[in-house]
């Protein structure tokens, strides 16, 4: 008789000696196991086969992959979350019932957990009577990062295993736990080295099968949870309430656990499915799932760039200011050594100081040891000439933002480079075509727009020039990814992608000020919308002089949508010497507290200063109008960029906004925001504000999508 009891694409069940069986997850053709619809259906069949098998004493649950199960297939969520709440609840309850059937097998089970068990993977492991985790393993319930909470029993089984307080900490934080922490909190029973994990789990199975203690523990797990106390719940409620308006999942999980902890297991599981369905229908869940899918699309593109890229052994940075020093540090810390060149020794010292300060912070924070810091510092070689540039694979130019200077310096430097070397310009406002016009090899020239501060900001726009070849684009994008950044390839145009769309938002803000908008109200409304800071505060952070230059350059390029045919507030305040935080006065006044942090205060002089540029007297606006007047131009410009081919996909647009300017994650980006509101509604709102100018005119693509009932992101879960 064959030892094989069930075999599928995701898992198999085999008989083992001593009347045991093994349920092993091993997804065919994949590097990891996921708990997707196929795996759950095969698990249902496998459990039915196990129920039908007589004489079994125990089950080993294992994985043939380096990890156990890394969670659900998020790509299935979009279609699921677009269903009605009742449909989601029924679907979820049916999937949850499969795990419950596994838990209720009439014999004991032990899970051997290698690597990671995340989300549904941990929820499945919680169904076992005992868990043995690899010493290098990690467990976690990260669902809150997707705007949801565990829906396959995690909110039920974990509180009954580890207690309410510990379970809520796992669920609300979404952070994975290392092996020692998982054992100490009672989520696993034993730890074992990866090489001996299966043997340790089998020994645990033998040990428990010799007695009946596991049966008593199972009965306990079917009852109420322990540790439900106001001292646990109330502080969590207070902490999570402020964010619940936009990100409701964490607080909803707390309320669910508090309500279901006194119930028996089955009643609690039923409550979980209903609550999961409600949270899955929220805009935050749709947006955060979309962000995940966008990220996966960009990573897939990144892998394609990596395959097509030229080797990168040595980089160089031209210009050793704060930006250049940050780029050099970010390259060196990620393993690509850098020549840092400038024409003046003091500038080189500034760049070296910037890198040293960044390294010191890493050491102080415990993220890097002294030896690693020294190695990184040694990988940044300072130079005043081009002597070593013949062996450089890529040069990042980060000198003054002046077209003539850039053209002259890059043409001079190109003569010192090898024929295959790539030059990129870190420009934020100049044309890549014009910068590269003086180069002998423009096919090996591109833009690389870093966002400030370089070591922190995750986005890099890779700008394609008119003659840039595909290998150059792939190599530059791969270099950005090597530096730990997310590259998005964009066409050469004024403002590129992110600053162009953001400028449309600023134009909406400036027009609202012209029409009597109140600074404090506008900031408050947009912060309530979810922006990390309101537009006036953001201008103060950027600097009024800097922002004026960017706004002037970009609006001049798109007069049909961004014409500023009036004296606008940013330029007006800049001319008055009110530059924002850099000199303590802008839209607000700023003073440093005892710890050196800037405190914002309303400036009683501001209104009189703005009076000459107002067309209407100051007044309060309906908050919905404030949101529309700032967000609709963003949507229109984002859609225009997509239709013009500045980027190819809505995923690139929205990822760039989330990563580059902190667009509220619970809205997912300008185009996802339009999807969630509904494009017919967005187009109608544009019509209401059409009198304000071209920035409020829905594009042909927006109108076509609205007429079809479609969305920018296919399968939108609005």
């Amino acid at each position: 008789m064959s030892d094989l009891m069930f075999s599928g694409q995701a898992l198999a069940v085999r008989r083992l000696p001593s009347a045991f069986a093994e349920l092993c997850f091993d997804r065919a053709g994949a590097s990891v196991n996921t708990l997707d619809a196929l795996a759950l259906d095969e698990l249902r069949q496998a459990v039915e086969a196990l129920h039908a098998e007589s004489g079994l004493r125990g089950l080993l649950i294992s994985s043939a992959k380096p990890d156990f199960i890394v969670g659900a297939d998020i790509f299935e969520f979009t279609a699921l979350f677009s269903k009605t709440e009742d449909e989601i609840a029924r679907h979820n309850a049916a999937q949850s019932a499969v795990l419950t059937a596994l838990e209720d097998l009439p014999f004991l089970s032990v899970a051997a957990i290698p690597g990671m068990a995340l989300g549904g993977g941990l929820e499945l492991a919680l169904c076992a009577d005992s868990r043995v985790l690899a010493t290098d393993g990690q467990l976690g319930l990260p669902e809150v990062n997707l705007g949801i909470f565990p829906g396959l029993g995690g909110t039920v089984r974990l509180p009954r295993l580890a207690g309410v307080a510990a379970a809520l900490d796992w669920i609300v934080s979404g952070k994975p736990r290392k092996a020692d922490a998982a054992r100490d909190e009672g989520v696993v029973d034993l730890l074992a080295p990866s090489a001996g994990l299966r043997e340790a789990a089998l020994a645990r199975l033998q040990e428990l099968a010799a007695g009946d203690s596991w049966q008593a523990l199972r009965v306990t797990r079917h009852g109420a949870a322990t540790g439900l106390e106001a001292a646990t719940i109330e502080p969590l409620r207070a902490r999570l309430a402020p964010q619940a308006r936009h990100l409701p999942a964490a607080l909803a999980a707390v309320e669910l656990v508090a309500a279901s902890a006194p119930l028996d297991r089955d009643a609690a599981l039923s409550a979980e499915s209903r609550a999961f369905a409600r949270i899955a229908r929220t805009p935050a869940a749709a947006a955060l799932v979309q962000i995940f899918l966008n990220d996966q699309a960009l990573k897939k593109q990144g892998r394609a760039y990596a395959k097509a890229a030229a080797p990168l052994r040595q980089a160089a940075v031209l210009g050793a200011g704060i930006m250049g020093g940050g780029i050099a540090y970010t390259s060196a810390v990620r393993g690509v050594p850098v020549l840092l060149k400038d024409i003046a020794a003091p500038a080189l010292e500034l760049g070296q100081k910037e890198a040293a300060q960044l390294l010191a912070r890493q050491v102080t924070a415990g993220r890097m040891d002294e030896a690693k810091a020294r190695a990184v510092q040694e990988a940044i070689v300072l130079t005043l000439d081009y002597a070593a540039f013949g062996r450089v694979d890529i040069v990042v130019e980060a000198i003054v933002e002046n077209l003539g200077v850039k053209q002259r310096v890059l043409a001079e430097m190109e003569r010192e480079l090898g024929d295959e070397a790539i030059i990129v310009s870190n420009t934020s406002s100049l044309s890549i075509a014009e910068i590269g016009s003086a180069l002998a090899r423009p096919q090996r020239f591109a833009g690389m727009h870093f966002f400030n501060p370089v070591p922190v900001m995750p986005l890099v726009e890779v700008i394609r020039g008119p003659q840039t070849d595909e290998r150059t684009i792939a190599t530059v994008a791969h270099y950005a990814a090597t530096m730990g950044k997310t590259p998005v390839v964009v066409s050469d145009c004024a403002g590129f992608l992110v600053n162009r769309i953001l400028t449309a938002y600023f134009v909406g803000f400036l027009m609202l000020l012209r029409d009597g908008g109140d600074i404090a109200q506008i900031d408050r409304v947009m912060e309530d919308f979810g922006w990390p800071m309101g537009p006036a505060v953001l201008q103060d952070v950027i600097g009024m002089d800097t922002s004026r230059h960017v706004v002037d350059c970009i609006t001049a390029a798109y007069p049909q949508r961004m014409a500023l045919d009036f004296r606008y507030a940013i330029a007006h305040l800049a001319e008055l010497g009110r530059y924002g935080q850099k000199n303590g006065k802008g839209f607000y006044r700023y003073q440093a507290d005892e710890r050196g942090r800037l405190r914002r205060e309303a400036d009683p002089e501001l209104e009189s200063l703005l009076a000459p540029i107002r067309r209407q007297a100051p007044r309060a606006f309906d908050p919905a109008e404030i949101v529309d007047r700032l967000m609709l131009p963003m949507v229109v410009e984002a859609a225009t960029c997509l239709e013009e081919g500045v980027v190819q996909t809505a995923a690139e647009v929205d990822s760039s906004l989330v990563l580059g300017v902190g667009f509220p994650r619970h809205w997912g980006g300008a185009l996802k925001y339009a999807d969630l509101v509904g494009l017919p509604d967005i187009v109608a709102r544009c019509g209401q504000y059409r009198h304000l100018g071209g920035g409020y005119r829905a594009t042909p693509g927006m109108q076509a999508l609205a007429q079809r009932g479609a969305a920018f992101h296919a399968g939108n879960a609005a």
Side-chain angles (χ1 to χ4, degrees), residues 245-246 505 522-532 623 626-628 631 634 663-667 669 673 677 685:
R245 176 185 171 194
H246 294 307
Y505 172 81
I522 295 169
D523 277 349
R524 184 171 61 252
V525 168
M526 298 316 294
E527 288 166 6
D528 287 345
F529 178 83
W531 285 95
I626 292 174
V627 170
D628 280 347
M631 293 306 303
M634 271 197 113
F663 194 101
R665 291 178 61 83
H666 57 268
W667 289 116
Y673 166 72
V677 172
R685 293 186 196 184

Side-chain angles (χ1 to χ4, degrees), residues 429-621:
S429 62
L430 299 176
S431 164
I432 291 300
E434 291 182 0
I435 295 173
S437 62
L439 295 175
R441 296 184 292 276
Q443 71 275 16
R444 292 190 180 85
F445 174 67
M448 197 174 188
H449 178 212
F450 290 87
F451 290 77
N452 199 28
V454 174
V456 175
M457 297 300 289
L459 179 70
V460 169
E461 290 177 318
V462 176
I463 303 104
R464 185 192 301 275
Q467 298 182 63
T468 311
D469 64 30
E470 291 304 317
R471 194 179 195 208
T472 295
I473 288 294
T475 304
V476 175
H478 179 53
Y479 181 44
T482 301
M483 297 168 79
K485 307 300 182 184
T486 298
V488 173
V489 176
V490 305
S491 297
D492 185 19
C493 61
F496 310 130
L497 179 68
V498 171
N499 284 344
R500 174 175 168 177
I501 297 171
L502 186 61
T503 298
Y505 172 81
F506 289 155
V507 169
F509 165 63
L510 294 169
M511 293 172 69
L512 195 59
L513 291 184
R514 176 200 65 186
D515 295 341
D518 176 73
I519 295 293
Q521 187 199 16
I522 295 169
D523 277 349
R524 184 171 61 252
V525 168
M526 298 316 294
E527 288 166 6
D528 287 345
F529 178 83
W531 285 95
M533 61 186 74
V537 180
L538 181 55
Q539 292 301 325
D540 283 351
V541 170
I542 295 170
M544 224 67 70
D545 50 345
T546 301
S547 189
R548 178 187 184 179
H549 170 73
V550 173
V551 167
D552 284 348
C553 288
I554 295 175
T555 57
Y558 310 107
Q560 66 276 31
R561 292 184 304 280
M562 300 188 200
L564 286 172
D565 54 355
F566 57 92
R567 184 170 175 79
Y568 64 90
I570 294 172
H572 180 63
L573 294 181
E575 289 173 7
L576 293 175
R578 298 177 67 96
Y579 299 136
Q581 290 187 356
K582 65 177 66 177
N583 70 345
K585 53 184 180 179
F587 283 110
Y588 297 91
R589 284 190 176 274
Y590 298 89
Q591 288 188 341
D593 63 17
E594 62 278 0
R595 300 178 64 178
R597 293 176 301 190
L598 291 177
R599 287 187 174 178
R600 184 177 82 206
E601 300 174 352
D603 188 341
E605 298 180 357
L606 182 68
E607 192 49 53
S608 63
L609 295 175
L610 292 180
I613 66 168
R614 299 274 205 189
R615 287 188 182 175
Q616 300 180 39
R619 64 185 177 93
F621 280 76

Side-chain angles (χ1 to χ4, degrees), residues 122-362:
L122 175 55
E123 290 179 284
L124 186 144
L126 293 174
C127 295
D129 296 298
S130 183
R131 282 152 297 283
V132 183
L133 176 64
T135 51
D136 60 352
Q138 293 189 48
L139 306 180
L141 295 171
E143 288 88 346
V144 70
N145 298 312
L146 294 172
I148 55 177
F149 48 71
L152 296 178
T155 70
V156 177
R157 294 186 176 92
L158 191 58
R160 284 154 181 78
L161 184 67
V164 168
L168 283 176
D169 187 41
W170 283 54
I171 293 167
V172 166
S173 73
K175 296 177 181 177
R177 263 53 171 195
K178 293 184 178 179
D180 288 346
R183 178 194 57 197
D184 293 346
E185 294 189 78
V187 181
V188 299
D189 304 300
L190 296 173
L191 304 181
S194 294
L197 177 65
R198 186 173 182 277
E199 290 72 21
L202 281 170
R204 177 69 171 167
L205 191 63
Q206 291 275 10
E207 174 193 349
L208 291 175
D212 57 7
S213 61
W214 62 273
Q215 294 173 325
L217 289 173
R218 183 178 287 192
V219 170
T220 300
R221 297 207 315 274
H222 284 202
T226 61
L228 178 61
E229 299 176 357
T232 298
I233 301 298
E234 294 307 324
L236 272 176
R237 281 180 174 145
R239 177 166 65 85
L240 297 172
Q243 71 183 46
R245 176 185 171 194
H246 294 307
L247 297 168
L251 182 59
V254 172
E255 301 297 357
L256 170 63
V257 171
S260 63
L263 306 178
D264 65 32
R265 182 201 66 178
D266 292 343
L269 287 171
S270 179
E272 182 188 70
S273 287
R274 294 193 300 272
F276 179 87
R278 287 193 296 273
I279 209 70
R281 287 289 302 161
T282 61
L288 294 175
V289 167
Q290 189 67 61
I291 286 174
F292 175 87
L293 299 179
N294 293 348
D295 181 61
Q296 294 304 301
L298 292 183
K299 286 180 177 176
K300 181 179 180 180
Q301 182 63 65
R303 291 191 290 272
Y305 290 139
K307 290 181 180 178
L312 289 173
R313 296 170 292 264
Q314 177 69 54
V317 174
L318 198 63
I322 298 296
M323 182 67 78
I327 296 170
Y329 160 84
T330 306
S331 180
V333 82
R334 290 287 182 151
V336 181
V338 180
L339 296 171
L340 182 58
K341 183 195 179 298
D342 207 288
I343 58 174
L348 286 177
E349 292 169 4
L350 178 62
Q352 185 180 45
K353 181 180 178 182
E354 174 71 8
Q357 289 175 340
L358 292 166
L359 288 167
R361 289 180 201 145
Q362 294 292 310

